[in-house]
Amino acid sequence: MQASDRFNINSQLEHLQAKYVGTGHADLSRFEWAVNIQRDSYASYVGHYPMLAYFAIAENESIGRERYNFMQKMLLPCGLPPEKEDD
């Protein structure tokens, strides 16, 4: 692999990360990454009716209740953020 290939791959990755929030970036913490993944998953569950119906049947709840539960879980999907250390 040549140096120009590495530069091209890195510039493509930076472009992708700037365009799509969920792909992350170098300064993204582990907690923020996990929150993005969880929120994307919940949004997908709510947006795809067959998946929402599957969860409703599996948990013996109504579809509306499952939608409400997923929307509530989107607020704090991984709990409170950890305290940041000041350097």
Side-chain angles (χ1 to χ4, degrees):
M1 182 179 277
Q2 297 177 352
S4 62
D5 292 338
R6 275 189 241 122
F7 175 74
N8 189 20
I9 290 170
N10 284 337
S11 65
Q12 289 177 356
L13 183 61
E14 288 173 4
H15 174 71
L16 185 69
Q17 290 169 341
K19 189 173 181 182
Y20 300 106
V21 176
T23 56
H25 52 81
D27 297 328
L28 194 67
S29 72
R30 182 180 178 99
F31 177 79
E32 291 169 334
W33 179 81
V35 167
N36 283 340
I37 297 298
Q38 288 291 333
R39 284 188 177 149
D40 286 348
S41 297
Y42 290 139
S44 178
Y45 301 155
V46 170
H48 293 93
Y49 186 81
M51 194 66 153
L52 188 62
Y54 173 79
F55 281 114
I57 291 170
E59 295 185 11
N60 196 23
E61 292 281 351
S62 68
I63 293 174
R65 173 57 63 182
E66 280 300 307
R67 179 178 286 122
Y68 175 79
N69 289 340
F70 286 142
M71 300 279 273
Q72 290 298 312
K73 288 179 183 178
M74 286 176 72
L75 295 176
L76 288 173
C78 298
L80 295 173
E83 295 182 15
K84 294 184 180 179
E85 298 176 8
D86 293 332
D87 291 329

